[in-house]
Structures are given as structure tokens and as C-alpha cells.
Amino acid sequence: MDEEEAGPPKRELYALLQVSPEATDEDIRKAYRHWAQVYHPDKYQDFHMQQIATENFQRICQAYEILSDEYKRQIYDIYGMEGINSGLELGPKLNKVEELKAELERLRKRKEEEKMLAHFRPSGTILAHLSLPQFLHGDGIMRGMAMSSDVQSQLSKRTAIGIGGNLEVNENSGGGAASTVLRHQLSPVSSIEFIASAGLRALIGVQTTRNLSLHSTATISIAKSLRDGSINLSNTWTRKLSETANGNIQLLLGPESSIAVGWQKKDEKMSASGELQIGTSSFSASAHYTHRFSSKSHGRIAGRFGSTNLEVEVGGGRKLSNFSTVRMLYTIGIQGILWKFELHRGGQKLIIPILLSRHLNPVFATGAFVIPTSLYFLLKKFVVKPYNLRREKHKTLENKKKTSAQVREARAMAEKAQQLLQIVANRKRSRHLETNELVITKAVYGSSKALKKADESREENKESASDIIDVTIPLNFLINDSGQLKDIQSFMFAAFISTSRGFISPSIHGTCIPDSMFSAFVSILVSKILAQLHEGVKKSGIMGFCDPCPGEPKLLRVEFTYGGKRFEVEVDDYAALLIPQESHKV
């Protein structure tokens, strides 16, 4: 339901003028002249149509007034219509681009600071070790506990301070530590940190980081222990291996010298990492892989092997809300069999490892994995999923009630706009049907869930129909007049006949054309058949469109014919659309 808040800016004024967000002033001026002629009230004799044309003409003029003004356009790109209507002062006080940018940056920072103060939470972790064997022996279930907390504060634009501490209790012993880190940005490519801690790990140190190139970073640190006077020197080199992967090498010199090589990869569907560390008295290797099954759930497998450790960990987690995630993991290794429960909320973590057995009994180990896994899937299917569906449906109904007046008004405006476009759109449709040119047979825009539900049921019920709007007329209107292409239309029409690729062997007057040249030529011709729906522009801003379900993910589905063939394409709300293309053929 937060799609619009979290997604890209709406930029509906760009859709209204049918220009890209990167359009030049000249592009905007040409688009305005074109659409002002289309919607000018003087073109219509009927009084009712004149009124509709006046409303749409005013929308076109307002869009041009904002997008043609350098200052207003910058405000609109950042804040949308809310920024335009907020009364941000323009003119003598903000008569330079630099001054406007500075003012916008100041307002943006103020909003961020207010948001940060309103939702401020220090990061921290609570770790509670539980032991079932210990409990069965009558010694209590709590094996140990640890707490840590950290608070970050920005002292200035280039300086930040972090203050943290931790306490740990393990059976009859315990301890704690407090630490302070002062970080200063020396330049855009380098920074320095001063570190001090007291308690079990009392030390002082300094660390500096520098970007060696666009893809490489080096970090050097030196720390002295205040307990035994030992000195540790650490060098770390990190390099970006690809758009989603990084590698690093760390060399540590001190009482326990070691060298470590690591690798990390993260994209939308998965994250993985691995590390190999060899020291003077120990070695270890570890790896993990996390796969995201959806935006809310993920699975994880990890392994650790070394001179003091050998274990495998499997499990998964689910996102409960924008700020909360739960995770359950099953671990088996030389330390025993464990369950681990985790709750992450904001910057806070609650981790509860439960030791089930210190002995690696195969039957017990299998049961400890199969039983909770089965219970999870049963609960998910019969309890969690139905509850989430009810909750989501309730939220959708609440949102519909809240936005019903807004949607009714938007639908009325869209219907009025379509009345103006209908005569021209029908004329184009009839002419293109006769010549086998591009014709939009059906186009709908609205809730992606409603469209999928309509596909499954093969019929459109009242509930799904309220979340969808028919946009066949405005899309047919956007098709360019064939007269604009009459010099090349004969070739284009002749070329587009049935073959395995949808085009004949490319030739003009018997002359063979290379495939690459033909494809490029066809792309140029095809791009002129239909006005492009630009990427990054919300489609509800197109004249004759409206947003039938604010806050929900939306799709545009288009069915069309060209050269006697049927095509179909479906694109997201902010995706570009260019038709016809061979990949769209049914």
C-alpha cells in the first residue's frame, strides 16, 4: 500500500504533455503547442464539449507553466505538486539556480532531520542463550546473556560520533565494555576515525580509509591494548568486482597475526558471501547464501569450518512489516544441535539461541529439523496466509473508502477527456483497420491484482472493474496519422508480413539488406507508429487516463493488431512502452 510513497516520483505533468522527464525546453514547448491545439476550446461547437475542452486545455496550460519554468520544474521534480502548492518563494529572493538548489537542499535536509528525530532509534542487540539440557538437569534454562547498544550522531556535515557499550554474562562470569568512535570526512575520498574503549577490551586506535579509485578502497588501522600493551596493525583492501560483487583482503599483524580473503555478492534475488582466514595459531572458513523467494520471505544456508568450529546452519525468515522481520534457524555442529530465533525491528535485534542437545544423535537431529519446519508450513498455510489476506483486504477497503471521492473525480475527468478524443480516435481506428495498420483493440490500466484476478476468472466482476479503467480510446488517439508516414508506409506495410520472425527477408526493390540494418530501420519506423510512453512517468497522468486505485501497484495491458496479426503487451506503471514489437506477437 506504500507503493506510491516508496516508488519513483509521479511526474504526471510529463505524462500529460507526453514528454520524457529528461525533455529539453524545446521538447516541452513543441509538446505544449501540439496538445494546446488538440484541446483548444475554439475547435468545438457544442457547448458541453467546449466546457470539457476548456478543463483539459487549462490542465495543459498548467503543465506547461510549471515545466517551462526552470525553478518551478526543479521544485516539481523533487517535491511534486505538493512542492508547487506549498508556497515556496520564488523571484527576487531565489533568482539564481544555485540559490534555488540551496533552498531546496535546505528544505530537504530539514524534512530528513524532522523524520529522523520523529523515528529515532538507537541500534542494539539482546542475545539470550537458553539450554534445554541444563534445564532438564534442574540448573535453570538461562545459560548466558549479552546486550549491546550503539548510538550515532552527526555533529556536523563532515563529523560524526558513535557511542556504544556491551554487557555479557556467561554462567558465573561476566564483563562489559564501552567504546567511542569519532569519524571525520577529510575529503570526498578519504576519512579518519579515532577509536577508544574501556573495559574488557580497553584500547585506543586510529583508522583511515581512502578510495584509491572508482572501484578500490584501502583501510589502515592501528590499535594499542591498554591491558597488555600489545599493538595490532590491520590493512584491508576492498575492490568492486562487478555491479553486485565485492572482494576484500585483510592482513592483521599482532599477537594473533592472520590473513583473510573474502567475497560478497548481493542483488535483488540473493546475497552470498565467503571468507577464508589463516592465522598463526588457527584457521577458519565460512560461507552463507540467502535467497529471496519474495519481497517478504527468504531462505538461508550457512556453514563454518575451522580449528575451533564446525557447523551448518539452515533456516529462513519473513518480513512482518516495513520495520520488522522474524527468522528461525537450525544449527548442527560440534557444539550440539540448536534452534535460533531472531526478531529484527528497526535497528534493534533480539536473538535467542536454544541449545537442544550436546550430542549429535541422528534421530534427534532429524526430528529437531523436520518438526518445526512442518509446523511452520502448516501455520503459514492455515493461519498466517489467511490472516495476511484478510489484513491486506481490510487495508485495501480502508484505502478505497479514503480515496473514493478522489477516484470518482479523477474518473469523471478521464471520461470527459475521452469524449474529446473519441471522434479522432475512432476515425484513426477505422482508417487503420481498412489498411491493416496499427489498431488498439483493447487497453486497460489499473491494479495488477485486479487484472490477474480477471484473467483467472475469465470475467470481470464489479470489485475488480472498480480498480481498472479502459484506456483504448486515448491510446488509439496517440497513434500518429498515417499521412505522417506516407513516404515510407508502403515499404513498412509490405515488409511486415508473416515469417518466422514476423518480417520478410529484408529487401528493397530486390536489394538485400543486412539483418542488423533492417532491424534498426524497422525500429525507427515502428517508433513513429505510436507515441512513446516514457519510462519513469506515471501513466495516470496521460490525458484520458486516471488512477483507479491509489497506493496499489498498477499495470497497463494493451492488445492490438498490426499487419493482420494479433499482439499483446503488459508493462508496469513506470515502464516505457513502444509498439509494435515482434516480441509482443501472440
Side-chain angles (χ1 to χ4, degrees):
M1 299 299 294
D2 298 323
E3 172 244 352
E4 302 211 4
E5 293 178 12
K10 292 184 180 179
R11 293 179 171 175
E12 292 181 339
L13 297 186
Y14 291 100
L16 201 60
L17 294 180
Q18 276 292 291
V19 294
S20 163
E22 289 75 37
T24 63
D25 292 343
E26 182 62 27
D27 294 334
I28 292 171
R29 192 177 300 110
K30 286 180 180 177
Y32 165 69
R33 288 173 181 167
H34 171 72
W35 294 113
Q37 289 178 0
V38 171
Y39 296 110
H40 200 285
D42 292 347
K43 290 185 62 177
Y44 302 91
Q45 301 299 323
D46 182 77
F47 178 72
H48 177 63
M49 297 298 283
Q50 270 190 348
Q51 285 185 315
I52 297 174
T54 301
E55 291 178 14
N56 289 286
F57 182 73
Q58 289 172 348
R59 291 175 63 194
I60 294 294
C61 291
Q62 182 193 37
Y64 177 67
E65 179 190 354
I66 292 169
L67 298 183
S68 63
D69 186 293
E70 183 180 9
Y71 305 143
K72 289 183 180 180
R73 184 176 177 181
Q74 289 184 58
I75 294 172
Y76 177 75
D77 285 347
I78 298 174
Y79 296 105
M81 288 304 297
E82 184 181 354
I84 297 294
N85 298 328
S86 64
L88 181 62
E89 193 172 354
L90 299 169
K93 293 187 179 180
L94 294 173
N95 56 6
K96 294 181 181 178
V97 176
E98 293 76 12
E99 292 174 355
L100 177 63
K101 288 181 178 178
E103 178 70 6
L104 292 174
E105 184 68 17
R106 185 184 68 80
L107 290 174
R108 186 184 64 80
K109 284 185 176 180
R110 188 174 71 182
K111 283 190 175 183
E112 287 180 354
E113 288 170 359
E114 289 173 354
K115 187 177 180 180
M116 184 182 68
L117 290 173
H119 301 284
F120 178 76
R121 294 288 186 276
S123 60
T125 301
I126 298 176
L127 183 65
H129 293 275
L130 306 184
S131 173
L132 186 61
Q134 187 174 297
F135 175 73
L136 295 176
H137 283 86
D139 297 329
I141 197 169
M142 186 66 72
R143 190 163 57 125
M145 191 168 185
M147 299 175 63
S148 65
S149 183
D150 181 70
V151 178
Q152 299 283 338
S153 179
Q154 197 74 26
L155 301 179
S156 67
K157 187 176 180 180
R158 300 171 64 183
T159 306
I161 189 171
I163 301 174
N166 64 77
L167 294 171
E168 184 175 354
V169 177
N170 191 7
E171 295 182 350
N172 297 323
S173 61
S179 62
T180 301
V181 178
L182 181 68
R183 186 176 188 274
H184 182 70
Q185 193 76 26
L186 298 173
S187 71
V189 297
S190 62
S191 64
I192 189 169
E193 294 182 4
F194 299 95
I195 307 164
S197 67
L200 288 176
R201 297 182 61 190
L203 58 84
I204 55 172
V206 62
Q207 175 176 293
T208 181
T209 301
R210 183 175 180 83
N211 295 335
L212 303 178
S213 68
L214 191 62
H215 303 293
S216 301
T217 303
T219 301
I220 301 175
S221 66
I222 184 170
K224 180 178 181 179
S225 171
L226 300 179
R227 295 177 65 85
D228 57 14
S230 61
I231 295 178
N232 285 280
L233 177 64
S234 172
N235 292 331
T236 304
W237 297 271
T238 303
R239 181 168 179 81
K240 188 174 181 180
L241 305 176
S242 68
E243 289 298 321
T244 59
N246 295 301
N248 65 276
I249 300 175
Q250 183 183 58
L251 176 63
L252 178 65
L253 300 176
E256 290 290 333
S257 298
S258 65
I259 184 170
V261 179
W263 169 83
Q264 305 86 35
K265 180 179 175 65
K266 185 175 183 180
D267 57 31
E268 292 181 357
K269 287 292 184 181
M270 56 80 73
S271 64
S273 69
E275 184 182 67
L276 175 65
Q277 182 175 346
I278 302 174
T280 53
S281 59
S282 64
F283 75 94
S284 65
S286 63
H288 98 269
Y289 175 80
T290 300
H291 183 79
R292 292 172 183 80
F293 301 110
S294 68
S295 60
K296 292 186 176 180
S297 62
H298 66 272
R300 172 187 170 91
I301 182 169
R304 287 173 282 274
F305 169 75
S307 52
T308 59
N309 200 2
L310 175 60
E311 64 181 29
V312 176
E313 183 177 80
V314 294
R318 186 167 183 84
K319 190 175 182 180
L320 301 179
S321 68
N322 289 334
F323 304 102
S324 302
T325 302
V326 293
R327 182 187 289 171
M328 179 180 175
L329 302 167
Y330 169 80
T331 305
I332 182 170
I334 58 175
Q335 294 181 347
I337 302 169
L338 298 94
W339 286 342
K340 185 190 290 184
F341 298 94
E342 298 182 6
L343 171 63
H344 298 211
R345 180 167 178 81
Q348 307 295 324
K349 296 179 185 178
L350 173 62
I351 303 174
I352 306 177
I354 304 175
L355 178 64
L356 302 177
S357 173
R358 290 191 174 91
H359 307 290
L360 300 181
N361 184 295
V363 176
F364 187 86
T366 304
F369 176 74
V370 172
I371 292 173
T373 303
S374 302
L375 285 174
Y376 167 75
F377 284 108
L378 288 171
L379 285 171
K380 180 183 177 182
K381 183 175 181 178
F382 296 108
V383 179
V384 177
K385 196 170 183 179
Y387 169 76
N388 286 335
L389 289 173
R390 287 196 302 270
R391 185 166 172 260
E392 190 174 336
K393 190 174 181 179
H394 176 72
K395 281 187 175 182
T396 302
L397 290 173
E398 287 292 321
N399 186 60
K400 282 186 178 180
K401 288 180 182 177
K402 190 168 32 175
T403 60
S404 59
Q406 172 191 338
V407 171
R408 279 198 302 272
E409 183 180 348
R411 276 186 176 274
M413 290 180 65
E415 288 170 4
K416 289 179 180 179
Q418 289 193 21
Q419 288 179 37
L420 288 179
L421 306 176
Q422 189 167 12
I423 296 174
V424 177
N426 288 344
R427 187 172 68 243
K428 289 183 178 181
R429 177 188 173 96
S430 299
R431 185 169 63 246
H432 292 172
L433 280 172
E434 292 174 1
T435 56
N436 259 354
E437 295 173 27
L438 181 63
V439 174
I440 308 297
T441 54
K442 184 178 181 182
V444 288
Y445 170 73
S447 167
S448 55
K449 290 182 181 178
L451 287 170
K452 289 174 183 175
K453 192 182 293 184
D455 285 344
E456 292 170 1
S457 62
R458 294 298 174 186
E459 58 184 19
E460 210 173 80
N461 55 45
K462 290 183 178 179
E463 185 180 350
S464 63
S466 65
D467 293 335
I468 298 170
I469 180 172
D470 190 300
V471 291
T472 307
I473 291 173
L475 283 187
N476 269 315
F477 178 84
L478 289 175
I479 298 175
N480 290 334
D481 290 327
S482 59
Q484 296 177 5
L485 300 174
K486 72 178 178 182
D487 293 337
I488 55 177
Q489 202 102 56
S490 57
F491 165 72
M492 185 63 192
F493 181 65
F496 197 87
I497 63 175
S498 59
T499 65
S500 59
R501 295 186 308 159
F503 297 99
I504 62 168
S505 298
S507 63
I508 299 179
H509 303 304
T511 303
C512 186
I513 302 174
D515 284 359
S516 58
M517 288 182 63
F518 181 76
S519 299
F521 187 51
V522 166
S523 297
I524 294 170
L525 298 183
V526 167
S527 68
K528 294 182 180 181
I529 299 293
L530 181 68
Q532 182 180 3
L533 303 185
H534 298 282
E535 186 174 3
V537 177
K538 188 174 171 65
K539 292 177 178 57
S540 59
I542 299 170
M543 196 70 79
F545 281 58
C546 77
D547 188 343
C549 49
E552 294 187 35
K554 284 169 279 292
L555 293 174
L556 172 63
R557 179 179 295 165
V558 184
E559 297 174 14
F560 60 95
T561 60
Y562 187 77
K565 300 180 184 300
R566 289 180 58 247
F567 296 80
E568 184 175 329
V569 59
E570 189 174 85
V571 292
D572 292 334
D573 200 8
Y574 291 91
L577 175 65
L578 185 64
I579 58 176
Q581 293 186 34
E582 178 65 13
S583 58
H584 301 158
K585 190 164 67 174
V586 176

